[in-house]
DNA sequence: CTGAAAGCGCTTACAG
DNA sequence: CTGAAAGCGCTTACAG
């Protein structure tokens, strides 16, 4: 069986297209199916032929064409992550975890960002993501992400990173989260133990009926016999933290502020400095996330480390389980860990 | 014209696989090639059939299979971005720009991160990226990225985001960059105009023979008749900035510090605070990037806005030009813009 | 353990 | 302007 060389030269020069499974087969003296078997690690290949084929594969630098593979067996070995924001720490760290896990499993990872919360943008993003043919992970920390989550067709293998659910999630829901309630409870308790009469809270937007982060903060206060003050509502950025900080700094009764994330805490710090309040002498400030920069804020920020990278890895594991026909039950990931730094301390004694 | 339902139901229920080009063709009463023509916007289709086919496409919610398409014409309509870091502002903002442009052009975007600078990791990353079948954009701000850049096979359509080159780049090199020299020159001149006797520089690692950022800083000093001090070498993170800050704070002759990026500046600020130096009273500090948080540092950071999003868009444009057989000449992107905030000011008069 | 056949869903010439 | 043929590079049964 002759074939005309279609631009492939074994010498490696002037290679106009890359080697195919048939090139390998011909050179190794086997059929192309056998080559397919060795690249897919099928058991039923004799060691001798396996070795011979593998040698040719290595020599040629043959790499199977992913598109052809996907077409033939409907399996893309890819995951695309859908998110509404590429600049927030939690989102990025989650993406990083997904990417790590995907790389280890030889999956490729795509990314599509949802332009806005409008339903046409959400739908367009989902279609783009699906077109790739692989599985989906949606980062659904915010409203837009939640919208997307609900719009993903039933048949698509999917997992989602979400806020801690307000009530037990439906069995089999492919959700992963960080235990927000425990994180907030522990941080609040720590502040209380420092001697603060109460702890004020600047909240992130919640996608749930009742934020677990807020609930954890409240429950710690109540257990200490304290009636929780009204939480302030921020968004995700430092500016909204700054605004909340300005407001709180004017109330001399405020001695401890817990912030929904480190970025908000940065804004609060900047407001307190502007208002000439001492930190932590007058006011203690704590955040959530432990993003790398927070150790260098002024003062260094006390915060709770949230393991978004592990969250991303779990999302990947969840979605690949689905790909394999298994169901992983919804579950929390990791253990939030308080990191005490210089922005918190005991309140000054005699404030009048 | 009857058809056996192969799991496709027009009613939309129990759809076991999605519609193919042949389903559309059959229902519209045309050949599948004609359907191919209308989805590819070929000119030679009569308005009447085009409309009829389009209607069926919409009704069925038909979306062409990307893998099949890629296999048939060798064109993936995808770009994968290769980078060594997913947490640095400049990298992310560049990715954001690529994603934006890609979305607008209906390209999908993949991401592969290079695990380390070891040549096996670099090579593995490149192979993963290539396997996807599309074009490549490598973010080559650091050594690892530069390594990757050099290892990408000639035949792969590619663009790269790089540091400003030290000398004129080879004609046709698919490189985009931000004008580092102008940025550093202007920032230094600004500090000098404030009355500082000199400006110290904390440098990012450079991948070039001679960093343009450093060169810009030097040339501004020389034009003012000042002999440039030795720059300090940092890496990309706040910790190295902190270390540099501690060192510089001990020299009472230091009144102005220009930092390679905002993160380094954050570290310098934290060191100066720790050493009880007033900012900007004793020392002025400026950064590069203008990342969103820098306006909330203590004090708010003077910095130079670098348009990485535009850089990402240019990279995408460059690589799609290559895909179309055109060559874009290597070029700088955007105009760095000084953003004056509270961390810089005139030096105090009588320091002894 | 290995090979010949058929097909995944498209596109690209080639006819008409 | 439109259709019949061939093929992109694989994998999945089915024989042997």
């Amino acid at each position: 069986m002759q074939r005309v060389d279609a631009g492939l030269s074994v010498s490696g020069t002037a290679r106009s297209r890359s080697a195919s499974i048939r090139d390998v087969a011909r050179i190794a003296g086997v059929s192309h199916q056998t080559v397919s078997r060795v690249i897919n690690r099928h058991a039923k290949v004799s060691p001798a032929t396996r070795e011979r084929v593998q040698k040719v594969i290595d020599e040629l630098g043959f790499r199977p064409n992913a598109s052809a593979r996907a077409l033939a067996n409907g399996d893309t070995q890819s995951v695309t992550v859908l998110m509404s924001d590429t600049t927030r720490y939690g989102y990025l760290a989650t993406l990083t975890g997904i990417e790590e896990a995907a790389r280890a499993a030889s999956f490729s990872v795509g990314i599509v960002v949802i332009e806005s919360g409008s339903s046409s943008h959400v739908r367009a993003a989902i279609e783009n993501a699906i077109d790739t043919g692989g599985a989906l992970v949606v980062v659904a920390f915010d409203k837009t992400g939640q919208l997307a989550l609900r719009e993903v067709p039933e048949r698509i293998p999917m997992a989602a990173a979400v806020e801690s659910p307000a009530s037990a999630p439906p069995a089999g829901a492919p959700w992963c989260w960080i235990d927000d309630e425990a994180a907030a409870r522990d941080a609040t308790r720590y502040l209380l133990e420092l001697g603060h009469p109460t702890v004020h809270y600047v909240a992130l937007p919640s996608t749930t009926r009742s934020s677990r982060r807020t609930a954890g903060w409240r429950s710690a206060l109540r257990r200490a016999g304290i009636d929780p003050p009204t939480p302030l509502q921020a968004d995700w950025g430092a500016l909204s933290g700054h605004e909340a900080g300005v407001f709180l700094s004017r109330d001399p009764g405020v001695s401890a502020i817990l912030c929904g994330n480190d970025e908000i805490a940065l804004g609060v710090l900047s407001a307190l400095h502007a208002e000439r309040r001492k930190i932590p002498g007058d006011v203690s400030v704590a955040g959530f996330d432990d993003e790398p920069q927070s150790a260098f804020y002024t003062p260094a920020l006390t915060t709770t480390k949230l393991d978004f990278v592990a969250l991303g890895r779990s999302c990947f594991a969840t979605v690949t389980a689905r790909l394999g026909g298994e169901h992983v039950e919804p579950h929390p990931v990791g253990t939030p860990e308080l990191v005490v730094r210089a922005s918190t301390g005991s309140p000054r004694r005699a404030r009048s």
Side-chain angles (χ1 to χ4, degrees), chain A residues 2 8 60 83 106 130 152 160 201 206 228 234 279 284 312 328 330 333 335 345 351:
Chain A
Q2 295 299 315
L8 179 89
L60 253 40
M83 51 190 202
S106 301
I130 290 176
V152 173
Y201 182 51
S206 178
I279 310 163
S284 286
V328 173
V333 175
T335 308
R351 295 199 83 238

Side-chain angles (χ1 to χ4, degrees), chain A residues 185-199 220-221 224 226 256 284 338 340 344-347 349:
Chain A
R185 199 196 318 112
D186 293 352
T188 306
R189 190 186 297 157
Y190 157 77
L191 257 4
L192 257 17
E193 283 168 357
L194 247 24
H196 293 280
T198 189
V199 174
L221 289 176
I226 299 163
S284 286
L338 185 70
V340 175
T344 51
S346 294
R349 291 300 141 146

Side-chain angles (χ1 to χ4, degrees), chain A residues 102-137:
Chain A
R103 179 150 33 88
S106 301
F107 270 54
S108 65
V109 4
I111 169 170
V112 2
V113 352
I114 310 171
E115 193 168 342
S116 83
S118 83
S119 74
S120 68
H121 282 154
V122 170
R123 228 178 309 250
I126 290 174
E127 292 191 335
N128 288 344
I130 290 176
D131 283 352
T132 309
L136 243 55
V137 173

Side-chain angles (χ1 to χ4, degrees), chain A residues 13-320:
Chain A
T13 54
R15 175 175 304 183
S16 71
R17 68 173 181 75
S18 47
S20 82
I21 207 178
R22 286 174 209 271
D23 297 315
V24 175
R26 187 171 24 76
I27 296 175
V30 296
S31 73
H32 67 277
Q33 287 94 329
T34 297
V35 177
S36 173
R37 285 186 191 101
V38 350
I39 64 184
N40 289 296
R41 290 174 175 32
H42 280 273
K44 311 300 186 66
V45 183
S46 78
T49 57
R50 173 184 305 283
E51 194 180 324
R52 185 150 40 92
V53 170
Q54 188 59 54
K55 192 149 158 270
V56 177
I57 287 175
D58 295 341
E59 281 171 14
L60 253 40
F62 165 77
R63 311 216 92 212
N65 177 310
S67 298
R69 225 164 175 174
L71 219 211
N73 71 1
D75 178 6
T76 330
Q77 301 277 300
S78 82
V79 53
T80 120
V81 2
L82 205 60
M83 51 190 202
S84 65
D85 196 316
T86 43
T87 60
R88 242 90 232 188
Y89 172 73
Y91 291 71
L92 255 338
T94 303
L95 175 61
T96 301
I98 298 168
E99 197 279 341
E100 269 182 33
R103 179 150 33 88
S106 301
F107 270 54
S108 65
V109 4
I111 169 170
V112 2
V113 352
I114 310 171
E115 193 168 342
S116 83
S118 83
S119 74
S120 68
H121 282 154
V122 170
R123 228 178 309 250
I126 290 174
E127 292 191 335
N128 288 344
I130 290 176
D131 283 352
T132 309
L136 243 55
V137 173
V138 6
V139 179
F141 296 146
D142 55 31
K143 293 244 190 296
T144 300
Q146 283 287 331
L147 225 58
L149 188 52
R150 273 180 242 116
E151 296 257 349
V152 173
E154 201 48 62
R155 70 193 152 86
I156 306 293
M158 184 200 70
V162 300
E163 256 188 281
S164 293
S167 47
W175 299 348
C176 301
W177 62 86
I178 288 171
D179 189 342
D180 291 313
E181 184 161 357
R185 199 196 318 112
D186 293 352
T188 306
R189 190 186 297 157
Y190 157 77
L191 257 4
L192 257 17
E193 283 168 357
L194 247 24
H196 293 280
T198 189
V199 174
H200 290 260
Y201 182 51
V202 182
L204 245 31
S206 178
T207 60
T208 66
R209 184 167 36 72
S210 145
S211 155
R212 287 354 266 156
R213 210 106 121 189
T214 304
W217 161 73
R218 279 211 181 92
S219 82
L221 289 176
R222 291 222 170 94
R223 276 187 218 181
I226 299 163
D227 199 30
T230 306
L232 296 198
Q233 185 60 55
D235 58 31
W236 304 78
L239 177 59
S240 73
H242 185 89
E243 291 163 354
V246 168
F247 180 84
L248 290 169
S249 70
R250 289 177 181 159
D251 179 349
V254 173
S255 74
I257 305 175
L258 182 62
C259 304
N261 68 198
D262 289 351
E263 228 176 299
I264 289 177
L266 179 66
V268 167
L269 291 176
S270 82
L272 292 172
H273 284 124
E275 303 289 328
R276 314 228 152 275
R277 310 296 306 267
K278 301 268 182 265
I279 310 163
D282 296 329
V283 185
S284 286
V285 177
F288 284 101
D289 282 1
D290 193 28
E291 54 175 82
Q293 300 192 183
S294 64
F296 297 93
Y297 290 176
T298 303
L301 187 71
T302 293
T303 187
T304 297
K305 185 173 174 52
L306 267 23
D307 196 345
F308 289 103
V309 176
L311 183 66
R313 279 193 233 105
S314 283
C315 286
F316 182 78
T318 297
V319 79
T320 48

